Amino acid sequence: MSDANALEALIQALRRLPGVGVKSAQRMAFHLLQHDRPGAQTLSYALANAAQAIQHCERCHTFTEATVCATCLDERRDASKLCVVETPADQSALERTGAYKGLYFVLMGKLSPLDGVGPHDIGLKKLFDRALDGTVQEVILATNFTAEGEATAHVISEGLKARGLHLTRLARGVPVGSELEYVDLGTIAHALVDRR
């Protein structure tokens, strides 16, 4: 591989990251090669190691190096509550709040018929098996408030509703510290409907 090909391959690889265009990828590549070769080696090793070592938890489907993740193994967690999220990043955001002490199921996506993503692609059967294990009493639907996230929550809700589980959905509304005149109308409308 020639010098130009190796550089171009690095730039194209960096472009695979979300939100990274050609110019950003070039800046990153040039920075790493010109100013931080040890950082480039560290990044290369960490990425290769993570791609090799990280797998899906057998119980909740999140990322882990073990067969079952630490959250699922934590006996202090409330096993009667199962929070369904789209991604490990969503799970991490909920964990950072410190407000939820139950268990999770990570879909690793959302229903999106236009993109060819159906129920089998996001593991709904595995979710239903987990939710109906006899321990779970409440399923908390914490999918995103996008069209696809709402559709995913609806399909899950319809699939579990008749089986005696208590289903809840994350509340949505006006963000703390915001002024109403700057909040989008959809958020205000949902906050009015979901008021308590």
Side-chain angles (χ1 to χ4, degrees):
M1 187 179 282
S2 73
D3 295 342
N5 288 341
L7 180 57
E8 185 58 31
L10 175 59
I11 291 167
Q12 292 306 316
L14 290 168
R15 284 191 62 202
R16 296 178 71 107
L17 295 170
V20 177
V22 175
K23 290 192 184 247
S24 294
Q26 286 175 336
R27 269 193 304 275
M28 287 182 220
F30 289 137
H31 171 79
L32 288 169
L33 295 173
Q34 183 177 356
H35 300 292
D36 194 7
R37 292 268 176 148
Q41 291 293 333
T42 300
L43 179 63
S44 172
Y45 174 76
L47 185 57
N49 187 46
Q52 180 69 31
I54 294 175
Q55 59 188 328
H56 293 286
C57 173
E58 283 184 358
R59 296 199 69 220
C60 73
H61 211 232
T62 196
F63 291 139
T64 182
E65 290 185 50
T67 306
V68 178
C69 73
T71 302
C72 287
L73 291 174
D74 187 347
E75 293 179 5
R76 295 170 297 176
R77 308 284 304 203
D78 183 353
S80 71
K81 292 180 175 30
L82 185 67
C83 184
V84 180
V85 295
E86 292 178 17
T87 67
D90 296 336
Q91 178 186 1
S92 178
L94 285 170
E95 279 296 288
R96 285 192 308 271
T97 69
Y100 179 69
K101 302 299 181 195
L103 297 174
Y104 293 92
F105 188 88
V106 182
L107 296 170
M108 292 293 177
K110 57 192 171 264
L111 294 176
S112 181
L114 294 176
D115 297 321
V117 179
H120 298 292
D121 300 311
I122 60 171
L124 287 191
K125 182 185 179 329
K126 188 173 181 179
L127 166 61
F128 288 1
D129 290 344
R130 174 79 187 281
L132 298 169
D133 68 0
T135 304
V136 174
Q137 301 298 312
E138 178 185 7
V139 175
I140 302 163
L141 301 173
T143 56
N144 292 313
F145 292 106
T146 61
E148 294 89 353
E150 292 287 349
T152 303
H154 177 74
V155 168
I156 293 168
S157 177
E158 290 298 311
L160 292 175
K161 192 186 302 184
R163 296 189 168 106
L165 289 174
H166 180 58
L167 291 154
T168 58
R169 181 86 167 106
L170 283 187
R172 55 182 156 186
V174 179
V176 173
S178 62
E179 296 179 31
L180 283 180
E181 69 178 295
Y182 300 113
V183 176
D184 68 277
L185 298 179
T187 300
I188 294 172
H190 282 293
L192 280 169
V193 170
D194 297 337
R195 73 188 182 278
R196 48 183 164 123

